[in-house]
Amino acid sequence: MTSLEWLPAACCPRGRMLGFITDFFTYETTKSVVVKSWLVGSINRFVQLLIIIYFVGWVFLHERSYQTKSTGIESAVMTKVKGFGRYNNQVMDVADYVVPQQGTSVFCIITRLIVTINQTQGVCPQYGRRYVCTQNSDCDKHLGSNLANGIFTGNCLTGYCEIEGWCPTENDTVQTEYMEEVENFTIFIKNSVRFAHFDITRGNFPADIDIKCIYHPVDHPYCPVFRVRDILTHANESFSTIARQGGQIGIHIRWMCDFDQALDRCKPSYSFTRLDDVFENNTISKGYNFRFAKYYKTPDEEDYRTLHKAFGIHFDVMVSGHAGKFDVIPTLINIVAACTSVGLATVLCDIILLNFLRGADQYKAKKFEEVSEVDIHAESRSQSLLTLKNEGKISEDSETVANGQQL
């Protein structure tokens, strides 16, 4: 025995290093132990069954993980609004109440107007309780403000602070009626999508569709013509409320296509929602409105305009979707994942056997067995000696038989 062999490894740096090297250059192999237990066997098969059901039912059938997926779609949307209404004793058509008029995926149908006529450039009082004044110094706090209808001059004019701009100023507190016919207007939506990964293009209606149809989620789920009242009903909104204050409505077109099936089965579905619902109870900037002006010239070449503050329903047509098609690579990957996951049942059963059942020490002794290189050499020498001994015995028996035959 050397001088270091009797020292514990923790007391000697050299011993710790040798211990680390010895532990590093080891090899572990699986040892099969058959445990005949109804409880553990039942748990093992039950967990394996759950894993198989999960992969077959959810991963393969529901999620279609045997397919290659594509979520990048190329989409084009064109819209047309149809309908006539009366407002301020005038008949309104599409050119009057649709903004913008190019038929894009984002557009607005005007439902109510506040009109300020004959505005010209000049100075005039800015009406409103916050702009009341008695002397010029009362208006100094408004200098540089962007909340009025023009630039403040710092003067007090007829009890209100004076502004320079388009006069007379707008009075947007006036309550006007909305155009009731809007709820019967129709919106035609033409949408084409291309799944670039599969080089497949689809449209939201066939060539032979009856254009007189009106969308209904059950009777006509693929009709591209939508009535405004029906859209608001599906979005759980009141027409009278949104027509008076304005609002934003989303029309969502979803394409969920399985190209392992017939191509004709790749059809869109529609849903509707109020996009600005989160601001419904706000006191600031409630609803949806915007301003625009129409400009004219007098015979004297002086510019004047009519200002419109418009309230309306802002529509936003959104398109999304994904498609899938069978592919060998994701199929093999998920099959391997399923086979590997089945082994989790063995891990669970080992945890139960090693920690929670009686006889855990006996199972641990059977499952884990440490064999050192010295034991291997000793076992090898023992086998060799046993072999030599057997060969010597056989040799002696042979000599005895030979001597007996000679006698």
Side-chain angles (χ1 to χ4, degrees), residues 195-216:
F195 297 93
H197 184 75
F198 304 109
D199 195 22
I200 294 176
T201 303
R202 296 292 296 161
N204 65 323
F205 60 90
D208 58 349
I209 192 170
D210 181 10
I211 203 64
K212 296 180 181 179
C213 68
I214 298 295
Y215 171 83
H216 188 275

Side-chain angles (χ1 to χ4, degrees), residues 294-313:
K294 296 181 180 179
Y295 295 86
Y296 310 93
K297 281 185 178 292
T298 65
D300 299 331
E301 295 297 318
E302 181 182 357
D303 293 326
Y304 71 100
R305 74 177 188 180
T306 298
L307 178 66
H308 300 78
K309 181 176 182 180
F311 297 82
I313 307 174

Side-chain angles (χ1 to χ4, degrees), residues 116-132:
T116 306
I117 62 174
N118 298 329
Q119 285 188 319
T120 59
Q121 287 284 323
V123 293
C124 53
Q126 174 65 57
Y127 295 107
R129 287 182 299 177
R130 70 173 66 180
Y131 305 114
V132 174

Side-chain angles (χ1 to χ4, degrees), residues 86 178 358 368 407:
R86 288 187 178 274
Y178 56 83
R358 289 182 299 177
F368 303 106
L407 293 174

Side-chain angles (χ1 to χ4, degrees), residues 123-399:
V123 293
C124 53
Q126 174 65 57
Y127 295 107
R129 287 182 299 177
R130 70 173 66 180
Y131 305 114
V132 174
C133 62
T134 57
Q135 53 188 354
N136 291 343
S137 59
D138 295 336
C139 299
D140 291 343
K141 60 183 178 182
H142 298 301
L143 293 176
S145 174
N146 295 322
L147 300 178
N149 296 112
I151 300 174
F152 284 98
T153 63
N155 299 325
C156 182
L157 180 65
T158 65
Y160 293 94
C161 294
E162 182 186 67
I163 60 105
E164 181 181 1
W166 289 97
C167 297
T169 59
E170 175 189 69
N171 180 12
D172 59 359
T173 61
V174 176
Q175 294 298 320
T176 59
E177 295 299 322
Y178 56 83
M179 187 162 51
E180 297 180 355
E181 293 84 356
V182 171
E183 64 176 339
N184 292 316
F185 290 175
T186 60
I187 303 171
F188 170 72
I189 300 176
K190 183 169 69 174
N191 172 225
S192 62
V193 294
R194 179 175 179 266
F195 297 93
H197 184 75
F198 304 109
D199 195 22
I200 294 176
T201 303
R202 296 292 296 161
N204 65 323
F205 60 90
D208 58 349
I209 192 170
D210 181 10
I211 203 64
K212 296 180 181 179
C213 68
I214 298 295
Y215 171 83
H216 188 275
V218 178
D219 298 334
H220 301 287
Y222 306 117
C223 179
V225 181
F226 305 83
R227 185 183 285 113
V228 171
R229 179 178 64 246
D230 297 336
I231 293 175
L232 297 178
T233 299
H234 295 313
N236 298 319
E237 292 297 326
S238 167
F239 171 73
S240 60
T241 301
I242 199 170
R244 187 174 299 279
Q245 298 179 346
Q248 295 174 288
I249 298 294
I251 302 175
H252 196 173
I253 306 176
R254 289 183 175 88
W255 293 84
M256 305 299 179
C257 297
D258 182 1
F259 291 139
D260 291 329
Q261 302 179 8
L263 193 60
D264 292 340
R265 301 187 65 177
C266 178
K267 296 179 180 179
S269 62
Y270 301 91
S271 61
F272 313 91
T273 184
R274 176 77 181 263
L275 298 178
D276 60 340
D277 188 56
V278 66
F279 303 110
E280 185 177 1
N281 297 322
N282 284 21
T283 57
I284 300 176
S285 189
K286 181 183 294 186
Y288 177 80
N289 62 77
F290 62 96
R291 290 176 174 84
F292 66 94
K294 296 181 180 179
Y295 295 86
Y296 310 93
K297 281 185 178 292
T298 65
D300 299 331
E301 295 297 318
E302 181 182 357
D303 293 326
Y304 71 100
R305 74 177 188 180
T306 298
L307 178 66
H308 300 78
K309 181 176 182 180
F311 297 82
I313 307 174
H314 178 275
F315 291 95
D316 190 349
V317 182
M318 302 167 287
V319 182
S320 66
H322 70 265
K325 193 173 184 179
F326 175 79
D327 194 345
V328 174
I329 294 177
T331 302
L332 292 177
I333 291 174
N334 284 283
I335 289 176
V336 172
C339 295
T340 304
S341 300
V342 170
L344 293 175
T346 303
V347 177
L348 178 62
C349 291
D350 280 346
I351 294 174
I352 295 173
L353 284 168
L354 292 172
N355 298 280
F356 301 105
L357 294 184
R358 289 182 299 177
D361 293 336
Q362 290 84 349
Y363 174 72
K364 190 179 298 183
K366 293 288 186 181
K367 182 173 178 61
F368 303 106
E369 182 177 355
E370 182 175 333
V371 180
S372 65
E373 191 174 359
V374 176
D375 295 334
I376 294 173
H377 290 317
E379 183 68 22
S380 178
R381 287 196 300 270
S382 176
Q383 291 291 337
S384 299
L385 291 174
L386 181 61
T387 301
L388 292 174
K389 182 178 179 180
N390 290 335
E391 290 177 353
K393 183 177 180 181
I394 292 172
S395 178
E396 291 178 359
D397 291 343
S398 300
E399 290 179 0

